Amino acid sequence: RTKHHAGRIRSFPRDSDPSAAPHLTAFRGYKAGMTHVVRGVDRPGALMHKREVVDAVSVLETPPMIVVGVVGYVETPRGLRTLTTVFAEHLSDEFKRRCYQNWYKSKRKAYTKYAKKYEDGAKDIESQLERIAKFCTVVRVIAHTQVKKLNLRLKKAHIMEIQVNGGDAKAKVDFAKSLFEKEVTIDSVFTKDEQVDVLGVTKGHGYEGVTTRWGVTRLPRKTHRGLRKVACIGSWHPARVSTTVPRAGQNGYFHRTELNKKVYRIGKKGDKASCQTEADLTEKSITPMGGFVKYGEINEDWIMLKGAVVGVKKRPLILRKSLMKHSSRKHLETIDIKFIDTSSKLGHGRFQTAEEKAKFLGPLASKQK
């Protein structure tokens, strides 16, 4: 089982271009569910060129994140070392809740003394920021999600460090400070047709046997004492069971990083026509009829990725900029979506919108009373 229940970025993209403007390299979203889209293929020379294909897509809800601090790292022979951390003056309750095991019994004094550093010109804060700019090679912002905007029965924000790439150390620090207490939206970090990596925790299956966990062959039907087993777990000598032998144990709820998921579309909050395309002019938003199963409605910004992503519905996932330079035509292809399916995901959905359903069914007896 994982120790990092909300995902953990083990490595950020390489910061190799000091001439680029400072920018963030990751974001957090929450898995809402899946649907499918019809898109045109633009790959000259390929068999499917100028044809239409149906792709499965995952939808993640990504409300804006709030930047609350900046941390500087110096490089040492033993890896990165934190030099200093600077927090913003005003921190929200959902951030502070993460600092407490029991919020309602606590005195809620987190960061009250720290905020006093901002009095009389904030000299101490400025000197710490100057230290980061002077000595540090890696600058990361501390940001948290706004879980109160989601219908997840959560009140504690998920906090993470996001590396700032581009520019020199001074530019990085100025960029980070300019974001203090401000909202950062998903479209300021990622763009359409970009490749992103998804980090998160897979769906848990508990303690499972070798046949499910490792896919070993079942033994013949007549086997004594069960047949979903490994018949021989190793030779007499060495007189130990090797680590390469399949055994029963925990399956799922592992931390995984999946590379190169293409961004098909980014939707904005309140956009009633976010799923409108040139070929399908129906005004509809991303939420399917009856809502996403086991999730509900999407009322914030969202991002659509090709294929599946790890985890169950509502799972917090991390989206990170890709670590590699892309050159293949498949990765650089511009996606032209013709149609996005918003029919019900609970059964065999027949209708794309409530208006279409009402039009087809005519006046309902239940509404005539």
Side-chain angles (χ1 to χ4, degrees), residues 5-6 28-33 59-63 94 98 145-158 292-301 312-317:
H5 308 287
R28 194 187 284 287
Y30 296 83
K31 180 172 174 174
V59 181
L60 278 66
E61 193 163 9
T62 52
E94 50 192 345
R98 184 55 72 182
T145 56
Q146 301 186 72
V147 284
K148 66 172 187 291
K149 293 196 168 187
L150 302 171
N151 197 14
L152 288 185
R153 295 162 57 199
L154 273 178
K155 292 179 182 174
K156 283 186 186 182
H158 289 109
F292 279 104
V293 181
K294 295 186 177 176
Y295 187 86
E297 295 180 357
I298 287 187
N299 297 318
E300 294 293 321
D301 297 353
V312 293
K313 315 287 186 300
K314 304 179 184 173
R315 179 84 87 215
L317 301 172

Side-chain angles (χ1 to χ4, degrees), residues 17-24 164-168 170-176:
D17 185 10
S19 61
H23 57 275
L24 299 178
V164 179
N165 280 2
D168 59 354
K170 178 86 172 70
K172 287 182 171 65
V173 172
D174 292 344
F175 174 74

Side-chain angles (χ1 to χ4, degrees), residues 99-344:
C99 308
Y100 291 97
Q101 196 76 36
N102 191 332
W103 176 250
Y104 90 98
K105 276 189 179 171
S106 68
K107 295 203 167 60
R108 307 178 189 182
K109 290 179 73 72
Y111 293 98
T112 48
K113 288 183 179 171
Y114 190 91
K116 288 179 181 158
K117 290 187 178 182
Y118 278 90
E119 292 167 9
D120 61 37
K123 290 190 188 107
D124 186 28
I125 298 288
E126 290 302 325
S127 69
Q128 293 297 336
L129 289 171
E130 280 164 21
R131 276 185 73 213
I132 295 176
K134 186 175 178 186
F135 298 113
C136 293
T137 47
V138 175
V139 177
R140 295 177 184 167
V141 298
I142 298 169
H144 70 81
T145 56
Q146 301 186 72
V147 284
K148 66 172 187 291
K149 293 196 168 187
L150 302 171
N151 197 14
L152 288 185
R153 295 162 57 199
L154 273 178
K155 292 179 182 174
K156 283 186 186 182
H158 289 109
I159 305 168
M160 63 186 282
E161 283 186 7
I162 304 174
Q163 188 159 308
V164 179
N165 280 2
D168 59 354
K170 178 86 172 70
K172 287 182 171 65
V173 172
D174 292 344
F175 174 74
K177 187 166 183 269
S178 70
L179 292 176
F180 272 14
E181 300 174 29
K182 294 207 176 77
E183 289 190 339
V184 177
T185 55
I186 182 80
D187 55 357
S188 66
V189 181
F190 298 115
T191 55
K192 183 181 171 294
D193 302 329
E194 190 178 347
Q195 298 285 345
V196 300
D197 302 340
V198 178
L199 300 85
V201 180
T202 61
K203 183 191 284 190
H205 297 282
Y207 192 100
E208 285 195 316
V210 281
T211 308
T212 306
R213 194 175 184 223
W214 294 103
V216 299
T217 310
R218 283 171 41 194
L219 301 176
R221 183 192 60 79
K222 300 170 80 162
T223 312
H224 185 42
R225 296 207 186 106
L227 48 81
R228 294 173 66 89
K229 293 174 181 287
V230 173
C232 173
I233 58 169
S235 55
W236 189 316
H237 288 292
R240 303 172 283 288
V241 179
S242 165
T243 53
T244 57
V245 177
R247 309 302 306 257
Q250 170 69 29
N251 189 22
Y253 206 70
F254 305 137
H255 189 282
R256 291 291 178 264
T257 302
E258 291 199 329
L259 307 182
N260 300 341
K261 309 265 183 206
K262 201 169 186 75
V263 178
Y264 271 18
R265 185 165 279 206
I266 294 175
K268 296 298 291 175
K269 174 186 178 179
D271 184 3
K272 291 279 193 291
S274 56
C275 287
Q276 205 173 38
T277 64
E278 283 182 14
D280 174 30
L281 296 171
T282 318
E283 229 181 66
K284 56 184 183 179
S285 62
I286 188 66
T287 308
M289 293 197 58
F292 279 104
V293 181
K294 295 186 177 176
Y295 187 86
E297 295 180 357
I298 287 187
N299 297 318
E300 294 293 321
D301 297 353
W302 53 269
I303 187 169
M304 181 190 285
L305 303 176
K306 181 183 179 180
V309 293
V310 297
V312 293
K313 315 287 186 300
K314 304 179 184 173
R315 179 84 87 215
L317 301 172
I318 293 176
L319 305 172
R320 178 188 67 189
K321 280 189 182 288
S322 180
L323 297 185
M324 55 189 77
K325 292 274 185 286
H326 295 282
S327 56
S328 78
R329 284 198 307 173
K330 191 177 181 185
H331 288 169
L332 299 174
E333 186 182 343
T334 305
I335 300 299
D336 169 34
I337 295 180
K338 304 278 179 73
F339 168 77
I340 299 171
D341 182 64
T342 54
S343 62
S344 171

